[in-house]
Amino acid sequence: MKSEEKKVVIELQDVKRNFKVGEETVHALRGVSFKIYEGEFVTIMGKSGSGKSTLLNQLGCLDTPSSGEYYLDGVSVRKMSKSQRAVLRNRKIGFIFQNYNLLPKTTSVENVELPLMYNSSVSAKERHERAINALESVGLGDRLYHKSNQMSGGQMQRVAIARALVNNPAVILADEATGNLDTRTSFEILVLFQKLHSEGRTIIFVTHNPDIANYSSRNILLRDGRVISDEQNEHILSAAEGLAALPMREEEG
């Protein structure tokens, strides 16, 4: 199916974001426009100062444009209040962070339940069941009641991915989600992202690592607050094959 026939999940129309720093105005985003369609796996790349973090804050409804329009699942974000954006963010976006952002003294299940705590239509029983299902879907069925200090970095990131999935969001927004992981664990997480993509999930992966672009379906490159390229990836590499090609860890041998 061509992208034009698919549902538009995200649309930016000439989005600009300016910041006052002393007497100067910093133009962090200088007219960014693009659409992201349901089921795409998009990397957004750029070096430090490219506007990547500012764009991430726009996409995540953490900030609003100085001008231009941002639509998330058909809803205009720019004129929303902070509390309205918070509700939209909770219902429509699953966040995955470089530092996992797990609560250290709570179990995997309790961490994954968190986004559902703000949804009064979900009972405690359903919340618990959905958290377990999400953890099982990322291969952590045997770590349901482990706490962060009982898990590896890769396992903690899987908990974070399960937490992002539990609300069945319109889009998964990953911020340098492999940035703190070693090469092998990074590939394991990329295998999981490609699995989610194959299941029809919409994923935006914000990163400074150009290698990640080899595993996504589309790549957007920022420079100086502008999109300088936006291309489909015609030759998507398999993260599973990349993982299989790595030497095994000693404890696995």
Side-chain angles (χ1 to χ4, degrees):
M1 185 185 290
K2 292 181 180 179
S3 59
E4 287 78 14
E5 299 168 349
K6 290 190 175 183
K7 177 184 175 184
V8 176
V9 178
I10 277 177
E11 181 174 2
L12 281 78
Q13 297 177 351
D14 196 28
V15 166
K16 297 177 182 177
R17 186 65 175 99
N18 306 322
F19 298 97
K20 289 288 284 185
V21 181
E23 295 297 309
E24 291 194 24
T25 300
V26 175
H27 302 282
L29 295 176
R30 300 169 180 259
V32 173
S33 299
F34 57 75
K35 296 178 182 179
I36 292 177
Y37 297 90
E38 191 172 46
E40 285 195 293
F41 181 0
V42 181
T43 49
I44 295 179
M45 296 174 295
K47 295 179 179 177
S48 179
S50 64
K52 199 168 73 267
S53 297
T54 305
L55 179 57
L56 176 75
N57 288 337
Q58 300 292 323
L59 295 172
C61 299
L62 298 166
D63 189 24
T64 52
S66 300
S67 65
E69 290 290 342
Y70 170 36
Y71 296 93
L72 171 58
D73 211 21
V75 178
S76 176
V77 176
R78 188 165 70 90
K79 294 178 182 176
M80 281 187 164
S81 68
K82 191 175 284 189
S83 59
Q84 287 173 322
R85 279 189 281 127
V87 171
L88 186 69
R89 189 166 61 239
N90 179 257
R91 302 287 170 89
K92 296 291 186 181
I93 300 172
F95 283 97
I96 303 166
F97 302 94
Q98 180 175 350
N99 296 320
Y100 324 129
N101 284 23
L102 302 180
L103 296 178
K105 295 182 179 180
T106 56
T107 64
S108 299
V109 166
E110 289 168 332
N111 267 291
V112 175
E113 284 183 356
L114 275 175
L116 296 173
M117 303 283 278
Y118 304 98
N119 190 339
S120 58
S121 66
V122 179
S123 68
K125 182 174 181 289
E126 183 186 349
R127 190 170 68 227
H128 192 70
E129 289 172 353
R130 282 169 63 171
I132 290 173
N133 290 338
L135 284 161
E136 288 175 343
S137 76
V138 299
L140 284 182
D142 59 342
R143 292 286 189 275
L144 299 178
Y145 302 103
H146 286 59
K147 295 179 181 177
S148 298
N149 62 359
Q150 298 171 305
M151 291 184 287
S152 67
Q155 288 168 338
M156 286 192 283
Q157 193 58 293
R158 284 174 183 268
V159 174
I161 292 169
R163 182 182 58 195
L165 294 172
V166 76
N167 244 353
N168 194 27
V171 62
I172 297 168
L173 188 54
D175 181 15
E176 300 284 6
T178 58
N180 280 351
L181 305 173
D182 61 44
T183 301
R184 187 174 185 83
T185 309
S186 294
F187 269 104
E188 291 170 354
I189 296 301
L190 282 172
V191 169
L192 180 53
F193 273 112
Q194 287 192 326
K195 172 178 174 283
L196 295 171
H197 176 222
S198 72
E199 293 169 354
R201 295 280 185 178
T202 308
I203 302 168
I204 302 174
F205 198 116
V206 180
T207 181
H208 70 276
N209 182 357
D211 293 339
I212 303 292
N214 293 317
Y215 303 94
S216 63
S217 62
R218 177 179 165 200
N219 306 307
I220 295 173
L221 182 60
L222 291 181
R223 184 184 297 157
D224 298 329
R226 292 187 174 93
V227 173
I228 62 165
S229 70
D230 182 352
E231 298 176 347
Q232 297 292 324
N233 186 359
E234 302 296 336
H235 304 286
I236 302 172
L237 298 184
S238 164
E241 290 179 8
L243 179 61
L246 292 174
M248 294 178 72
R249 293 194 184 102
E250 288 184 17
E251 66 267 23
E252 297 173 324

